Amino acid sequence: MSRRTARPRRSAAPPAPRITAASPCPCGLPSSYAECCGRFHAGAPAPTCEALMRSRYCAFVVRDTGYLLRTWHPDHRPAVLDLDPEQRWEGLEILETTQGTAFHTTGTVTFRARFTAGGQADALYEKSRFVRYEGAWVYETAVFAG
């Protein structure tokens, strides 16, 4: 009988925050998750590109890769989306929106999203471009990132 050598265990990533229907919406608007971004995750169409941006941020928080892929323009979306299990999204700040309403076919949202990864705090600063595709808002590309 051989004896196994004990290997040090990697510390497990902290669990994703538990978001329930009654939880405050992670996007920062003063509504519950169910009344705000949760309804988009459940299938309601986002009425503006800002609403889509907020719901996509929430999808990163709750790790809803299916929603992220469905709301990504098919010409630009990856085949698979692997989220870093150690990354924790901690806040969204919308800095500017252009167009992106029911009267437009394109729009942009400039935002800052705070996160921690590997114990280090950081932020994603991006201007995202959104377009209407088959009648619905979808994320197309980042116009710039910093």
Side-chain angles (χ1 to χ4, degrees), residues 29-143:
L29 291 179
S31 297
S32 70
Y33 171 69
E35 294 169 337
C36 195
C37 295
R39 65 192 168 113
F40 304 130
H41 295 175
T48 65
C49 62
E50 181 178 334
L52 182 62
M53 175 63 237
R54 288 179 178 278
S55 68
R56 285 178 55 83
Y57 168 81
C58 286
F60 277 100
V61 172
V62 301
R63 295 185 173 29
D64 187 346
T65 56
Y67 181 78
L68 290 165
L69 291 169
R70 283 191 310 276
T71 58
W72 209 316
H73 194 286
D75 290 347
H76 302 282
R77 80 174 150 233
V80 175
L81 186 60
D82 291 320
L83 301 180
D84 180 349
E86 293 189 22
Q87 193 168 32
R88 297 289 173 261
W89 295 96
E90 299 177 344
L92 175 66
E93 180 183 4
I94 302 295
L95 303 172
E96 178 184 45
T97 61
T98 62
Q99 300 182 343
T101 71
F103 303 105
H104 301 107
T105 57
T106 64
T108 63
V109 178
T110 304
F111 68 92
R112 182 176 299 114
R114 294 184 328 278
F115 65 91
T116 58
Q120 299 291 332
D122 205 347
L124 171 66
Y125 175 70
E126 182 176 301
K127 183 175 187 177
S128 295
R129 178 175 164 78
F130 297 86
V131 298
R132 285 201 183 266
Y133 178 78
E134 297 180 351
W137 285 111
V138 294
Y139 169 76
E140 186 177 42
T141 60
V143 178

